[in-house]
Amino acid sequence: MTMELNNIREHIDSIDREITRLFVERMETVAQVAASKKSTGKAIRDRARERTIINRVTEQAGETYAPYVKDLYKLLFELSCNYQSTLMGHTSALSAQLIDACAQYAGKRLPNRALVACQGTEGAYAQQACEKLFEYPDILYFDSFDGVFNAVEKGMCEYGILPIENSTAGSVTQVYDLMEKHSFHIVGARKLRIDHHLMRKPGVTGPIREIVSHEQALRQCSEFFAAHPEYEAVPMKNTAVAAEFAAATDRDDVAVIASKACAELYNLEIVSESVSNAQSNYTRFICISRKMEVYPHARKISITCSLPHEAGSLNSIISRLAIAGVNLCKLESRPIPGREFEFRFFFDMEADLHDPEIVKLICELEDRTEHFVFLGAYEER
């Protein structure tokens, strides 16, 4: 049996040698195709030809092996397009912009002092994240996330702080949706431990009927509300705004879920500590700027794009990242207004923009998509 298996493996090895020889020959021919396309200005990708090839080779393979041959040729097309892109040496305005941003901020870091926009009021989690990113910030508060985006986009504030994702409640979809409206760049990010407490005015002992907080905080405490159906959850713009309201209201049946800092700031008494679903509860905050600022320790890249509404378009992008060895750490989709069941995609990936190969990869992704926005390269702590 062992000799038989060895003989089979030797036969596979000989087949592999032939496959390798033919693959190299195919890629050498692809180089000729790239030279022709470069001289004529033709696009790298030809979906119609790819479809014709897949139909031909799957028919040749027969019903049993057709699905495997289809997958094989899809990978071959990706490798072919990647090689053609490299040989054709595509350059773009984005490429120059990325290289310039890396050079301009070499050896620098986020400033110690800045005027920073935050949503909410004093005691908000955004304020705490801001003070982790900046040693001496001047903070300007806004009622909404849209206000933070506008303040940065219009130059009122140098930077803005926004929550993007919670470890238990998921993405802050309102922020993702607003990204489509505004021009900005992500220049930093910080994970902040979130510890929600139930609190109310001191000395009040009557029953609680309403609990106010930000909608994300309320979702992060859903198990607490499930255990106490007598409490009505009332969303407000911000946890700190809710704490301020609970402290100032004449009603004795209102409590708030917020941070311990809010309890101290608004003279509230903690009734129940740590009412979050999970003790390990973190929120990611991004720091945005009008300018593209790429600091030396930036190891995370965020982009957004819309893709052709056809089979395999998303897989093409993911496959390209996999071939490049880039770790895709988040993929978020949001509906495109006015386009039925079509979506734009947000990608977070671990990659170093100071690497010329990553710059080429980003520019290649721009070429492959219908609408592409480079959101930023930044350090996340």
Side-chain angles (χ1 to χ4, degrees):
M1 181 65 71
T2 302
M3 287 298 296
E4 183 182 352
L5 179 59
N6 287 338
N7 291 336
I8 294 171
R9 285 175 171 171
E10 286 177 7
H11 184 51
I12 288 176
D13 290 344
S14 69
I15 294 172
D16 286 343
R17 285 192 292 271
E18 185 65 11
I19 290 174
T20 302
R21 184 188 68 78
L22 291 171
F23 176 76
V24 170
E25 183 178 343
R26 192 183 198 281
M27 295 299 275
E28 288 172 346
T29 308
V30 163
Q32 297 173 30
V33 172
S36 175
K37 287 180 178 178
K38 188 172 184 178
S39 65
T40 58
K42 286 188 176 181
I44 290 176
R45 198 113 209 182
D46 188 339
R47 298 283 184 182
R49 174 162 169 76
E50 289 179 10
R51 187 165 53 252
T52 299
I53 293 172
I54 284 180
N55 288 341
R56 184 182 70 240
V57 297
T58 52
E59 186 176 0
Q60 291 171 349
E63 186 176 344
T64 301
Y65 300 110
Y68 304 103
V69 170
K70 182 179 180 179
D71 288 343
L72 172 63
Y73 270 80
K74 281 187 173 182
L75 177 58
L76 279 175
F77 295 151
E78 291 302 321
L79 296 172
S80 173
C81 289
N82 297 342
Y83 189 40
Q84 288 183 64
S85 180
T86 300
L87 293 173
M88 292 168 74
H90 278 178
T91 58
S92 65
L94 176 60
S95 175
Q97 190 180 12
L98 299 179
I99 293 169
D100 180 67
C102 290
Q104 187 176 350
Y105 291 91
K108 298 181 181 179
R109 64 185 183 94
L110 274 173
N112 289 333
R113 302 176 187 275
L115 180 60
V116 185
C118 291
Q119 189 262 346
T121 188
E122 198 71 16
Y125 285 112
Q127 173 215 325
Q128 297 175 41
C130 178
E131 291 178 345
K132 296 287 186 182
L133 284 159
F134 299 92
E135 290 184 58
Y136 312 106
D138 287 325
I139 300 177
L140 196 58
Y141 290 104
F142 293 85
D143 288 341
S144 65
F145 297 142
D146 199 34
V148 174
F149 276 111
N150 279 320
V152 173
E153 189 173 16
K154 295 176 180 177
M156 186 186 304
C157 294
E158 297 170 80
Y159 300 97
I161 304 295
L162 292 157
I164 195 73
E165 181 182 20
N166 179 263
S167 58
T168 58
S171 298
V172 185
T173 55
Q174 186 182 355
V175 172
Y176 276 105
D177 289 340
L178 287 168
M179 286 182 177
E180 187 72 9
K181 290 176 52 181
H182 297 282
S183 177
F184 68 97
H185 291 95
I186 304 173
V187 298
R190 184 78 189 214
K191 292 178 183 175
L192 184 71
R193 172 75 181 271
I194 305 297
D195 198 5
H196 294 309
H197 305 286
L198 179 67
M199 57 191 76
R200 67 193 303 190
K201 292 188 294 185
V204 177
T205 58
I208 296 172
R209 290 186 172 84
E210 290 185 4
I211 299 177
V212 296
S213 194
H214 187 268
E215 60 180 357
Q216 274 271 333
L218 296 173
R219 283 203 296 271
Q220 291 162 27
C221 302
S222 60
E223 293 177 7
F224 174 79
F225 283 102
H228 296 280
E230 70 274 18
Y231 298 154
E232 180 184 357
V234 179
M236 300 193 76
K237 291 181 177 179
N238 183 273
T239 54
V241 169
E244 188 176 39
F245 168 80
T249 185
D250 293 332
R251 294 172 55 186
D252 291 337
D253 61 348
V254 174
V256 60
I257 288 176
S259 67
K260 189 171 289 186
C262 283
E264 297 170 356
L265 186 62
Y266 296 106
N267 190 31
L268 293 166
E269 181 180 11
I270 294 177
V271 179
S272 297
E273 293 190 340
S274 301
V275 294
S276 304
N277 293 350
Q279 295 306 306
S280 180
N281 184 21
Y282 288 85
T283 294
R284 291 176 59 218
F285 288 85
I286 55 171
C287 177
I288 63 171
S289 171
R290 288 177 70 186
K291 299 179 293 181
M292 186 188 297
E293 303 175 10
V294 182
Y295 295 99
H297 297 291
R299 296 295 183 270
K300 181 167 273 190
I301 293 174
S302 294
I303 64 171
T304 180
C305 62
S306 56
L307 303 171
H309 191 48
E310 59 189 33
S313 59
L314 178 58
N315 182 65
S316 173
I317 299 299
I318 294 174
S319 296
R320 181 64 187 97
L321 295 175
I323 290 169
V326 171
N327 181 32
L328 179 62
C329 44
K330 183 170 185 184
L331 172 58
E332 180 82 17
S333 65
R334 299 297 302 152
I336 300 175
R339 294 171 64 175
E340 188 175 353
F341 296 110
E342 293 189 40
F343 299 85
R344 64 183 182 277
F345 297 92
F346 295 85
F347 296 83
D348 288 350
M349 61 193 80
E350 293 177 346
D352 186 356
L353 198 64
H354 298 87
D355 182 347
E357 292 301 315
I358 297 300
V359 173
K360 287 199 296 186
L361 172 64
I362 296 299
C363 294
E364 182 186 327
L365 295 180
E366 182 187 32
D367 287 341
R368 290 185 178 210
T369 55
E370 288 186 339
H371 175 69
F372 181 94
V373 178
F374 180 82
L375 295 176
Y378 51 96
E379 179 183 10
E380 180 171 288
R381 291 186 289 169

